[in-house]
Amino acid sequence: MGVGEFNEAERFQIDEAIRRAELVSRFEFSVFVGRATADSRAFATQLHNSLVAPARSILILLDPASRVLEIVTGGVVRRSLTDHEVELTALQMRSSFAEGDLVGGLRRGIQMLADHARTPETLHGDTV
């Protein structure tokens, strides 16, 4: 299998994880799997900035050949998702990738980011 090439079932699993994550968090998720440029962070940021709503978006860039993972979050997203939570998610994803499970790592990472970014439900309002 070449870099970034997933079969139909694997693409479906990733797409399904994205749909669920967007419902849970109310943020947009994008995944790029393929070759990054030498400055992978700048490349990921450029991709993120080209999205329809970058402030409300999370971009995951994975370059399996170079073993590079970048996660870029927009300004609105950062109000709900801390850098520490992103780092923990990246660690979990790298662990799956090291075992050769790219799809599972992406799915789990997307889910973790959505769970961390979820707006807490208000069970009741303040009464005055």
Side-chain angles (χ1 to χ4, degrees):
M1 178 185 304
V3 173
E5 294 179 13
F6 294 112
N7 64 39
E8 189 175 330
E10 291 168 329
R11 283 192 305 272
F12 178 81
Q13 290 176 42
I14 295 167
D15 288 343
E16 187 63 26
I18 289 171
R19 278 192 290 280
R20 277 185 264 132
E22 290 177 344
L23 288 173
V24 166
S25 69
R26 297 302 199 201
F27 295 121
E28 302 291 323
F29 280 75
S30 296
V31 174
F32 175 90
V33 179
R35 282 267 185 219
T37 60
D39 185 350
S40 60
R41 186 66 185 177
F43 181 67
T45 301
Q46 179 183 1
L47 288 174
H48 181 264
N49 289 338
S50 71
L51 297 172
V52 173
R56 298 193 50 77
S57 297
I58 299 168
L59 175 100
I60 299 170
L61 176 143
L62 173 62
D63 181 343
S66 300
R67 295 181 175 233
V68 170
L69 173 66
E70 298 285 352
I71 300 173
V72 182
T73 57
V76 174
V77 175
R78 283 191 294 276
R79 295 179 198 157
S80 302
L81 185 63
T82 67
D83 288 343
H84 181 69
E85 291 166 332
V86 172
E87 289 169 18
L88 289 174
T89 300
L91 278 172
Q92 178 70 37
M93 293 173 76
R94 284 187 181 102
S95 176
S96 293
F97 299 155
E99 295 173 3
D101 187 5
L102 297 182
V103 173
L106 286 168
R107 289 176 60 216
R108 180 75 179 126
I110 292 164
Q111 177 188 349
M112 289 176 69
L113 290 169
D115 288 345
H116 288 303
R118 176 188 309 216
T119 303
E121 291 183 29
T122 303
L123 298 177
H124 56 81
D126 293 333
T127 57
V128 180

